[in-house]
């Protein structure tokens, strides 16, 4: 058994209220179990809003130097101002610390390229956890990542609890989609996959009419219901018989957004676009149909809607149970923590021999 460790966690949270509920809950569970002997948290974006970027960097460096964590876990640096010198100073502040970076966004070489701070972290941290492999893995490797691991998007049971699958009564919609459509220049899609996402929604609206709803920014379809608060996804999905999703970055393997775990956890059969790797990660999930084309997604939706309502309830229950077994946040981040422990002793030995 590994000795209890000190963990410094830097979540990506811009407001005063915690939003990274899943990892926060996981680390508290690990404190209670004795795996973490001391936990400190710095919401770096909130500190930047409060102290300015320079003040936030100084506070982080001071805390790292004073705390001397065994593991520093930084989550999605995004637009935070962190140049190469700050990263070097961070690592000098605690030579025996295992520096771990988690990137929860998908990036590409052309669309949505790595911000400078992300490149600095990926090239310098000991472990990189990211939500996509394939072309994104090669991108991180080219940046200089030392060790890359995959981590799936997850959901937390606080905001998306395990609810009984609703009875076979009338629901407002037959099918629902949740997701934004982003294009800053008319006729040009900003992210790979956006065009197929729009075409899928347009086809479903044509087929289902008012029995189809799509939530999110950027839609101009009659089926559009506008943006949906993050915590309300569960309720909207449970008011439909089938949920449908089409992810961005189709060339990224093993990638799906948090909407797929949330949709499954809601207890409703789901149709999703396919990414390489799904055959390994999602193959044992009944009630989930994977589509390689827009037509396959339309066909899968119509197939599910053709089933007896009681069969849909059975498939929805299976989706919910699969999600809680595989993508609930405490399971996902406990696996991440244990993977960090595997590398911690090696890091300490190397630092001690310098």
């Amino acid at each position: 058994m590994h000795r209890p460790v000190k963990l410094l966690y830097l979540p990506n949270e811009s407001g005063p209220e915690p939003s990274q509920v899943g990892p926060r809950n996981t680390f508290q569970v690990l404190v209670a179990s004795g795996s973490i002997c001391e936990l400190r948290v710095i919401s770096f974006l909130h500190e930047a809003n409060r102290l300015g970027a320079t003040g936030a960097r100084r506070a982080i460096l001071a805390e790292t130097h004073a705390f001397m964590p065994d593991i520093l876990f930084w989550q999605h640096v995004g637009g935070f101002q962190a140049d190469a010198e700050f990263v070097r100073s961070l690592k000098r502040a605690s030579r025996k610390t295992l520096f771990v970076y988690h990137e929860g966004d998908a990036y590409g070489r052309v669309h949505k390229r790595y911000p400078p701070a992300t490149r600095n972290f990926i090239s310098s941290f000991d472990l990189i956890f990211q939500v996509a492999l394939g072309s994104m893995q090669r991108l991180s490797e080219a940046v200089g990542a030392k060790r890359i691991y995959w981590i799936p998007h997850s959901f937390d049971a606080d905001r998306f609890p395990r609810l009984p699958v609703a009875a076979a009564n009338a629901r407002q919609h037959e099918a629902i989609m949740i997701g934004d459509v982003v294009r800053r220049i008319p006729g040009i899609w900003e992210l790979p996959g956006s065009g197929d996402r729009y075409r899928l929604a347009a086809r479903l609206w044509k087929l289902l009419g008012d029995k189809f709803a799509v939530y999110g920014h950027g839609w101009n379809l009659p089926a559009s219901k506008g943006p949906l608060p993050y915590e309300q996804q569960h309720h909207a999905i449970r008011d439909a018989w089938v949920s449908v999703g089409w992810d961005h970055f189709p060339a990224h393997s093993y990638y799906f957004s948090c909407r797929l775990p949330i949709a499954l956890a809601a207890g409703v059969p789901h149709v999703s676009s396919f990414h390489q790797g799904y055959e390994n990660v999602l193959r044992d999930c009944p009630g989930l149909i994977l589509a390689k084309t827009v037509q396959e997604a339309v066909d899968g939706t119509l197939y599910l809607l053709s089933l007896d309502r009681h069969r849909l309830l059975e498939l929805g229950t299976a989706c919910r149970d699969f999600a809680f077994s595989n993508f609930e946040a405490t399971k996902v981040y406990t696996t991440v923590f244990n993977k960090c422990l595997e590398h911690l002793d090696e890091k300490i030995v190397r630092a001690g021999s310098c």
Side-chain angles (χ1 to χ4, degrees):
M1 181 178 293
H2 204 283
R3 64 178 177 83
V5 300
K6 298 194 296 183
L7 176 67
L8 178 58
Y9 174 42
L10 294 102
N12 184 290
E13 299 170 331
S14 57
E17 295 298 322
S19 59
Q20 295 294 343
V21 178
R24 280 179 174 270
N25 286 350
T26 303
F27 296 145
Q28 289 297 339
V29 168
L30 293 170
V31 169
S33 71
S35 298
I36 296 176
C37 61
E38 192 171 356
L39 171 67
R40 297 188 187 179
V41 181
I42 301 177
S43 298
F44 59 94
L45 291 179
H46 177 57
E47 291 302 296
N49 291 335
R50 190 174 66 90
L51 302 172
T54 300
R57 290 193 297 269
R58 287 174 179 167
I60 292 167
L61 288 173
E63 183 67 14
T64 304
H65 189 273
F67 185 40
M68 295 292 285
D70 297 295
I71 300 171
L72 182 148
F73 187 83
W74 195 308
Q75 203 168 27
H76 182 55
V77 64
F80 183 74
Q81 298 177 27
D83 59 16
E85 178 55 36
F86 168 74
V87 177
R88 287 192 291 268
S89 299
L90 192 65
K91 299 190 73 174
R92 285 196 299 266
S94 184
R95 292 174 55 206
K96 293 186 177 182
T97 295
L98 184 75
F99 287 87
V100 182
Y101 180 63
H102 169 229
E103 183 48 73
D105 274 13
Y107 290 91
R109 292 185 180 275
V110 178
H111 299 87
K112 196 181 175 183
R113 291 182 288 184
Y114 279 148
T118 304
R119 296 174 65 92
N120 291 332
F121 277 40
I122 288 177
S123 64
S124 301
F125 276 36
D126 300 300
L127 301 182
I128 308 300
F129 289 90
Q130 57 187 51
V131 295
L133 298 176
S135 55
M136 185 168 164
Q137 179 274 325
R138 294 190 295 273
L139 178 60
S140 295
E141 186 180 16
V143 168
K146 298 175 179 63
R147 190 62 185 270
I148 300 169
Y149 288 109
W150 175 74
I151 174 176
H153 269 295
S154 61
F155 68 95
D156 63 88
D158 281 8
R159 290 177 292 186
F160 307 103
R162 184 193 293 265
L163 298 174
V165 173
N169 52 7
R171 302 187 187 187
Q172 184 176 0
H173 299 109
E174 290 192 330
I176 181 177
M177 282 186 70
I178 301 175
D180 298 334
V181 172
V182 181
R183 53 180 175 183
R184 297 176 181 172
I185 303 175
I188 298 178
W189 301 106
E190 183 175 352
L191 296 177
S194 292
D196 283 339
R197 177 182 288 186
Y198 187 89
R199 283 185 283 274
L200 175 57
R203 291 284 304 281
L204 291 176
W205 171 75
K206 184 177 180 180
L207 288 165
L208 302 177
D210 292 341
K211 290 297 183 179
F212 172 69
V214 58
Y215 290 89
H217 294 276
W219 295 98
N220 59 0
L221 296 174
S224 174
K225 304 298 182 182
L228 183 69
Y230 184 80
E231 296 82 359
Q232 295 299 314
Q233 294 179 74
H234 224 41
H235 302 291
I237 292 169
R238 287 167 60 83
D239 199 27
W241 286 106
V242 176
S243 64
V244 185
W246 195 276
D247 266 319
H248 293 134
F249 292 98
H252 288 5
S253 59
Y254 290 87
Y255 171 67
F256 48 80
S257 72
C258 63
R259 292 193 177 97
L260 188 146
I262 291 171
L264 296 178
V268 173
H270 186 65
V271 178
S272 170
S273 56
F274 176 83
H275 290 240
Q276 183 181 348
Y278 281 14
E279 67 275 16
N280 299 320
V281 180
L282 299 168
R283 61 184 173 186
D284 296 325
C285 182
L288 173 63
I289 291 179
L290 302 176
K292 294 184 179 180
T293 66
V294 169
Q295 185 59 52
E296 288 185 8
V298 171
D299 292 345
T301 303
L302 295 180
Y303 161 72
L304 288 173
L305 291 175
S306 301
L307 299 179
D308 180 84
R309 298 305 197 198
H310 291 285
R311 179 56 180 157
L312 289 177
L313 295 179
E314 293 174 353
L315 292 174
T317 300
C319 287
R320 181 202 63 189
D321 294 344
F322 182 89
F324 274 85
S325 295
N326 293 276
F327 303 130
E328 199 278 318
T330 55
K331 295 180 182 294
V332 171
Y333 284 97
T334 297
T335 298
V336 169
F337 177 77
N338 289 335
K339 184 60 67 175
C340 293
L341 294 183
E342 293 177 12
H343 290 266
L344 183 57
D345 285 337
E346 180 184 352
K347 171 77 175 184
I348 294 173
V349 169
R350 286 203 312 268
S353 62
C354 294

